Amino acid sequence: QVQLVESGGGLVQPGGSLTLSCVVSQSIFSRHAFMAWYRQAAGKERELVASFTSGGSRTYADSVKGRFTISRDTLTNTLYLLMNSLKPEDTAVYYCNVQYSGSIYWGQGTQVTVSS
């Protein structure tokens, strides 16, 4: 069955860096799939942070442009979010997401807390 397993969250100081990982079932890890990272801060709605479109292009929310990078490794079926220059407002639960062949899949979420 399809699974998305996230890891890499934690506590980091402002200005620090963190990398999130999401291991995705091989059956849906396609370059034609939509793959993304979302986040949801306390009291706020879930928002799209970064994505690979079905055409292979990268997108970023304005709030993270220049600081975050989405990447993927086809050998390990892993989606990554590289986060630099972290700010307190980046604090949220981060979720990986894959949309493929008409279905939507979510990771379990991983907490990122940016605080001194």
Side-chain angles (χ1 to χ4, degrees):
Q1 60 182 354
V2 170
Q3 289 188 321
L4 283 69
V5 181
E6 298 183 38
S7 62
L11 175 64
V12 63
Q13 294 187 128
S17 299
L18 207 60
T19 298
L20 306 182
S21 300
C22 178
V23 180
V24 180
S25 295
Q26 185 179 30
S27 62
I28 63 167
F29 200 86
S30 168
R31 67 180 180 90
H32 300 298
F34 176 86
M35 300 186 186
W37 289 94
Y38 290 78
R39 69 185 181 188
Q40 187 166 23
K44 301 180 70 174
E45 295 187 350
R46 188 171 299 187
E47 64 175 341
L48 178 64
V49 176
S51 75
F52 282 103
T53 71
S54 59
S57 298
R58 292 175 172 87
T59 75
Y60 297 96
D62 288 342
S63 59
V64 307
K65 283 182 179 176
R67 300 189 299 120
F68 290 11
T69 302
I70 188 170
S71 65
R72 57 190 173 189
D73 186 341
T74 59
L75 296 179
T76 59
N77 301 326
T78 304
L79 183 70
Y80 297 98
L81 184 66
L82 289 66
M83 303 183 292
N84 296 315
S85 302
L86 283 161
K87 305 174 181 179
E89 51 262 45
D90 295 318
T91 296
V93 178
Y94 285 71
Y95 299 89
C96 59
N97 168 271
V98 177
Q99 301 176 36
Y100 187 60
S101 295
S103 297
I104 303 173
Y105 307 93
W106 291 95
Q108 81 278 15
T110 185
Q111 176 72 47
V112 173
T113 302
V114 184
S115 176
S116 59

